[in-house]
Amino acid sequence: KLRGLSLLQPFKRDTLSATQLQHNVNEDFFKDYTEQDASDDTLLYTTLGLLEPGTDLLNVYRALYSEQVAGYYDSETREMYVVQGSGFNGTERMTYAHEFTHTLQDQHYDMRGRLNITDEYCREHGEYCSAVTALMEGDAVSSEQEWFYTYGSEADRRQVQDFYGTYESPVYDASPEFIKQDLLFPYQQGFEFVQTLYDQGGWQAVDAAYGNPPVSTEQILHPALYPQEVPLDVPEPELKASLGSDWRLAGEGSLGEWYTTLLLSAGWDSSWRLTVKDAAEAAAGWGGDHYLLYQKINDPAMFAFVIEWKWDTLEDANQFWKALTDMGKNRWGTPLRESSMDVRWEYQDGSQVSMHYTQQGTRWVIASNQTVLNQIAGIIK
């Protein structure tokens, strides 16, 4: 009743113990996330400076989800679960309200069909899926809070307060900074996005967003830009022809405004980071981006990464250029060569870094060594 959506059909709902949750995380949550997927993501995140080399990314995810998940809705099986502690108390009841909202969303808006929230689609359209997931999670957080304030009993309130007063999350606390921030994004920024819609037109405005879903994290971060401002088209960098047939595509997509912010503010080495405020302001003029990551098939240590950004205005381009080069100097030290439009580094491991500025955008190239940089030199002129 609070959400304004009726239950259209029966569904399975159950509780899980913490042990059962850990089993499901290990066996089901990442069943379609292969070792190659994890290896490719590790290469991408270490190249971006977000993940410390040598990190076992898949185990980080498994441990984090085993600790952090209080309940979940499975859109594939259409089943809903709440992780139960010593009893079904205030925290479990809040979780139930949250996951029940996901059930209603799926029955009315079809997560996997109409909204395309599937592993396969999201591997290729990550920016869109991040935005829609933020809509869904923000909706569920809003619904659980409205339930809690409307129907939560005094015992519920006391139990929730006691839970958070003693809650510890050692796995989360020890996780890479960008993963911690990214885990919260759909709940925190998604909640703010949904609240903006709600303030404009109640649940009817939130419902309308499922018919015209957000397409970028920029729209989530700046609700005033939804739905008018869509990402600019950024042509794919010419990379494959320069490298040859003995290279494989290890990653392709868009960082979006959110990951561009994390790039500047959430490096695994804290000395590289800009402040969250400066990073967010520098990324706020994001117009679009496209990256490619290639790896040599018979020599995985050889890689080439290229990303191109477009910016809304010349002022936005200038602001990001300063932020990106400041982060680069924090990470790689004094440049080998620097001008107003180009910065070059040669790092101690032999990797080559090039940043190039134009009034239309920004290009960033990282190559594992000079040989690889020479192969792709044509695209950085």
Side-chain angles (χ1 to χ4, degrees):
K1 288 181 180 179
L2 281 173
R3 181 57 185 82
L5 297 174
S6 58
L7 190 65
L8 301 181
Q9 61 191 49
F11 67 100
K12 179 181 177 180
R13 43 192 155 185
D14 207 345
T15 57
L16 294 175
S17 67
T19 301
Q20 289 171 316
L21 170 66
Q22 186 171 22
H23 175 271
N24 289 0
V25 168
N26 290 334
E27 299 299 324
D28 297 331
F29 278 36
F30 298 99
K31 64 182 179 182
D32 297 322
Y33 189 64
T34 67
E35 289 186 9
Q36 187 63 66
D37 291 334
S39 177
D40 290 346
D41 285 345
T42 298
L43 178 60
L44 174 64
Y45 296 142
T46 54
T47 300
L48 293 173
L50 296 172
L51 190 67
E52 185 173 8
T55 301
D56 188 334
L57 186 60
L58 183 54
N59 277 341
V60 169
Y61 284 146
R62 284 174 172 165
L64 188 61
Y65 278 65
S66 295
E67 177 187 80
Q68 291 293 307
V69 171
Y72 65 92
Y73 173 76
D74 188 330
S75 62
E76 189 170 1
T77 63
R78 299 190 171 178
E79 297 171 353
M80 170 190 142
Y81 297 96
V82 173
V83 180
Q84 187 172 5
S86 58
F88 206 86
N89 298 316
T91 50
E92 288 86 358
R93 284 155 61 80
M94 280 191 73
T95 300
Y96 186 100
H98 183 106
E99 303 307 333
F100 187 76
T101 303
H102 287 321
T103 303
L104 296 174
Q105 292 167 351
D106 194 21
Q107 291 194 3
H108 283 263
Y109 305 120
D110 190 5
M111 293 179 183
R112 298 177 63 83
R114 281 167 50 192
L115 294 176
N116 281 319
I117 302 300
T118 65
D119 291 339
E120 299 78 16
Y121 190 82
C122 291
R123 287 294 290 181
E124 297 186 10
H125 304 87
E127 181 70 354
Y128 163 84
C129 288
S130 293
V132 175
T133 299
L135 166 63
M136 294 192 300
E137 294 296 352
D139 179 357
V141 171
S142 297
S143 298
E144 89 176 50
Q145 291 194 2
E146 186 162 347
W147 171 83
F148 185 68
Y149 293 132
T150 304
Y151 290 116
S153 66
E154 191 59 40
D156 289 327
R157 290 178 171 81
R158 184 175 63 254
Q159 290 158 358
V160 169
Q161 185 175 14
D162 290 346
F163 172 81
Y164 284 109
T166 59
Y167 179 68
E168 295 182 347
S169 54
V171 176
Y172 175 86
D173 294 341
S175 294
E177 183 63 24
F178 89 98
I179 290 180
K180 292 195 290 186
Q181 295 301 319
D182 200 36
L183 185 71
L184 296 177
F185 176 81
Y187 304 94
Q188 293 186 343
Q189 285 84 350
F191 171 71
E192 294 171 4
F193 175 78
V194 168
Q195 282 298 293
T196 300
L197 297 179
Y198 185 88
D199 291 342
Q200 293 170 350
W203 287 121
Q204 186 175 1
V206 178
D207 292 334
Y210 289 94
N212 185 21
V215 297
S216 69
T217 55
E218 178 187 45
Q219 292 180 340
I220 299 298
L221 291 164
H222 310 282
L225 301 181
Y226 166 81
Q228 299 88 353
E229 187 155 333
V230 297
L232 300 172
D233 180 51
V234 181
E236 180 178 309
E238 295 291 337
L239 198 58
K240 177 64 175 176
S242 301
L243 291 170
S245 59
D246 55 342
W247 289 71
R248 58 178 288 272
L249 182 64
E252 178 180 15
S254 171
L255 292 185
E257 182 177 334
W258 173 240
Y259 260 73
T260 299
T261 304
L262 294 179
L263 168 71
L264 298 172
S265 63
W268 70 264
D269 187 325
S270 60
S271 69
W272 301 347
R273 302 173 190 169
L274 306 187
T275 68
V276 173
K277 179 177 180 293
D278 287 346
E281 289 178 354
W286 181 89
D289 76 79
H290 194 108
Y291 71 81
L292 291 174
L293 174 64
Y294 275 87
Q295 186 178 45
K296 196 164 188 178
I297 295 172
N298 60 358
D299 188 357
M302 302 273 276
F303 69 89
F305 172 81
V306 178
I307 182 169
E308 296 196 19
W309 286 275
K310 284 188 177 180
W311 301 95
D312 292 334
T313 68
L314 179 59
E315 181 181 356
D316 294 326
N318 290 337
Q319 186 174 19
F320 180 74
W321 175 250
K322 182 180 185 307
L324 184 65
T325 54
D326 283 349
M327 184 276 293
K329 291 172 185 177
N330 291 344
R331 181 176 174 184
W332 291 293
T334 303
L336 186 68
R337 185 177 74 241
E338 182 175 12
S339 72
S340 60
M341 299 183 69
D342 288 281
V343 184
R344 278 284 308 279
W345 289 268
E346 181 175 44
Y347 198 48
Q348 58 191 16
D349 63 359
S351 58
Q352 306 289 315
V353 182
S354 171
M355 295 176 181
H356 180 69
Y357 167 87
T358 70
Q359 293 183 2
Q360 290 73 39
T362 312
R363 178 183 292 148
W364 181 25
V365 177
I366 304 180
S368 50
N369 55 38
Q370 186 66 52
T371 301
V372 176
L373 186 67
N374 291 341
Q375 283 185 261
I376 61 175
I379 68 167
I380 60 174
K381 291 180 179 178

